[in-house]
Amino acid sequence: MKLGIIGAGNVGGTLGAAWARKAGHQIMFGVRAPNADKTQELVRGIGAKAGAGTAAEAAAFGDMIVLTTPWIAAEAAIGSMGDLAGKILLDATNPLAMGPDGLGLEIGHSTSAGEKVQGWAKGASVFKTLNTTGFSNMADPVFHGVKSVMFVAGDDAANKPKVMTLVADLGFDVVDAGPLRNARLLEAHAMLWIDLALNRGQGRDFAFAIVRR
Ligand SMILES: NC(=O)c1ccc[n+]([C@@H]2O[C@H](COP(=O)([O-])OP(=O)(O)OC[C@H]3O[C@@H](n4cnc5c(N)ncnc54)[C@H](OP(=O)(O)O)[C@@H]3O)[C@@H](O)[C@H]2O)c1
């Protein structure tokens, strides 16, 4: 599959490398400066399956598009992608901002980054996913033989199985978390991971898993 990944930082770079290596997907990173040394180095490291262009080029290239910019840049990045009608867009952002108690969610109870992204990406099918664990776990989501969980929330039932398969290609236990408005829950869940990692001594080398009987 062809994937347009908008942003080539911690999350975008990790996902691109993992999808190329584990599932043979073709990657185009969409960034503001495709020829910058750090982006070219990333592309060379992945090999023939990867390239870089503008956000519009990557969005046109991708059968699916994955948004991995900082929250503050998300609206501008989407605005630079061109016509998104009919496109599938996975939103990995978290609406983080510094508040009086430190890093927290800028929005959450009555809307979410996922729903804002849907409003900006007119005509696209937006899915919230790949936001609830650290980027290093996206490269290696299996802990002692147990797959960590990754949720997918979105309203487009016809395309959801395709999105879930793409996320499963990374090695996650993929769970349907309902409609896109449940991005409110997934972004709060992400904030819990971030708080545990940064403030409660867990570090980045842990993830959530579901156990069942
Ligand atoms: N870090 C994590 O473990 C983690 C985990 C889950 C979710 N997230 C979420 O994922 C998102 C990315 O996090 P990150 O840690 O990967 O950030 P990052 O390392 O700072 O990477 C962000 C990328 O977005 C690019 N970018 C910025 N503005 C852009 C624009 N207008 N158009 C295209 N590309 C643009 C940046 O390019 P430049 O170099 O040109 O600025 C950079 O490649 C955030 O929303 C974060 O909350 C992060």
Side-chain angles (χ1 to χ4, degrees), residues 119-135:
W120 297 326
K122 300 236 177 311
S125 261
V126 174
F127 292 88
K128 188 84 208 182
T129 188
L130 293 169
N131 68 311
T132 52
T133 197
F135 70 91

Side-chain angles (χ1 to χ4, degrees), residues 3-7 27-35 39-40 51-62 65 76-82:
L3 301 174
I5 300 184
I6 312 304
I27 311 297
M28 184 184 286
F29 295 104
V31 289
R32 291 175 294 183
N35 293 322
T39 305
Q40 287 303 316
T54 63
E57 286 167 341
F61 172 85
I65 305 166
I78 291 167
S80 68
M81 284 185 212

Side-chain angles (χ1 to χ4, degrees), residues 90-166:
L90 282 63
D91 170 30
T93 67
N94 283 309
L96 302 180
M98 287 307 284
D101 301 320
L103 193 63
L105 294 177
E106 189 179 74
I107 51 174
H109 291 293
S110 54
T111 188
S112 60
E115 290 158 280
K116 293 275 192 191
V117 164
Q118 179 65 82
W120 297 326
K122 300 236 177 311
S125 261
V126 174
F127 292 88
K128 188 84 208 182
T129 188
L130 293 169
N131 68 311
T132 52
T133 197
F135 70 91
S136 48
N137 296 332
M138 298 178 195
D140 187 9
V142 181
F143 288 70
H144 303 293
V146 178
K147 290 181 177 185
S148 52
V149 67
M150 185 51 64
F151 299 103
V152 175
D155 298 332
D156 177 355
N159 282 310
K160 196 178 265 185
K162 228 187 317 188
V163 173
M164 291 178 69
T165 298
L166 180 67

Side-chain angles (χ1 to χ4, degrees), residues 2-6 55 58-67 81 83-84 87-91 124 166:
K2 291 179 177 173
L3 301 174
I5 300 184
I6 312 304
F61 172 85
D63 300 317
M64 297 198 212
I65 305 166
V66 189
L67 180 66
M81 284 185 212
D83 184 9
L84 293 174
K87 288 284 189 177
I88 295 171
L89 176 61
L90 282 63
D91 170 30
L166 180 67

Side-chain angles (χ1 to χ4, degrees), residues 14 46 86 112 210:
T14 300
I46 297 173
S112 60
I210 291 183

